[in-house]
Amino acid sequence: VEAAEYTKPNIKPGLWQVTVTPKMSGEMPIPDDQLAKMTPEQRAKIEAAMKGAGSKPHVYKDCMTPEKIAKGFEMERGADEASCKRNVISSTASELTLHDECNHNNRKTVSDVHFEFKGGTQINGKLHIVTTASGKSMTVDSRVEGKYVSASCGAVRDAGPVN
């Protein structure tokens, strides 16, 4: 299947503030042998972190350079880029739909991403990410809202949490 041509989204380069509101469901994709080595306290801490991270909005600042915009935002990937395959489902100046599949260390992650761009200064989107490992699957559905802040990124280079 041929990927659709990538059309650069109409968004202004510069500093952006992005709010991601995730909703998690399913099981933690941690192998049973790793879980077995954890103390009940460690397991409780991880589960609490998952539940906590799974509902609170996360606010990021990101420097959207012309290069990043031209590439279609970087894939959320670890160190191993070869383990990921990106499919551009459709892209216009005002909309972008992506399907990414990554296989890394017996863990499979499938991401479906849809963004809408308004007037060069607003982004709205949805992310649907399913991670599967050791027969366990976890789903994260996130809402993304971004707004242009300023032409200068200041000290901000890559996406980082605001607080």
Side-chain angles (χ1 to χ4, degrees):
V1 182
E2 279 297 302
E5 281 294 303
Y6 176 68
T7 302
K8 202 169 78 167
N10 170 30
I11 60 173
K12 281 174 109 164
L15 187 64
W16 282 71
Q17 181 168 305
V18 180
T19 303
V20 179
T21 308
K23 204 174 94 216
M24 293 176 156
S25 58
E27 294 184 279
M28 285 186 296
I30 297 175
D32 289 332
D33 60 333
Q34 280 182 14
L35 279 175
K37 290 176 193 160
M38 291 180 189
T39 65
E41 290 80 17
Q42 286 173 318
R43 285 173 79 154
K45 206 181 249 183
I46 286 178
E47 283 167 19
M50 294 264 310
K51 286 191 177 85
S55 56
K56 286 202 300 273
H58 301 276
V59 182
Y60 300 92
K61 287 229 187 306
D62 194 2
C63 186
M64 293 304 288
T65 62
E67 297 77 40
K68 248 188 225 178
I69 295 166
K71 275 192 198 159
F73 309 154
E74 292 299 288
M75 258 200 249
E76 298 298 322
R77 50 181 159 213
D80 189 7
E81 295 192 10
S83 67
C84 293
K85 203 168 74 210
R86 159 157 286 179
N87 283 314
V88 177
I89 306 301
S90 67
S91 75
T92 66
S94 62
E95 237 173 299
L96 177 62
T97 304
L98 303 171
H99 177 82
D100 293 342
E101 289 190 23
C102 299
N103 288 294
H104 187 68
N105 291 343
N106 299 321
R107 175 192 297 241
K108 181 175 184 174
T109 304
V110 178
S111 311
D112 286 292
V113 180
H114 180 81
F115 288 119
E116 289 178 17
F117 311 105
K118 295 190 180 89
T121 58
Q122 278 185 297
I123 297 175
N124 289 308
K126 289 189 181 100
L127 281 77
H128 177 75
I129 301 168
V130 180
T131 303
T132 306
S134 308
K136 299 175 188 174
S137 281
M138 180 179 77
T139 301
V140 182
D141 284 298
S142 299
R143 213 173 61 240
V144 179
E145 294 161 317
K147 61 180 192 276
Y148 174 79
V149 178
S150 70
S152 167
C153 289
V156 177
R157 290 285 153 257
D158 281 309
V162 167
N163 39 14

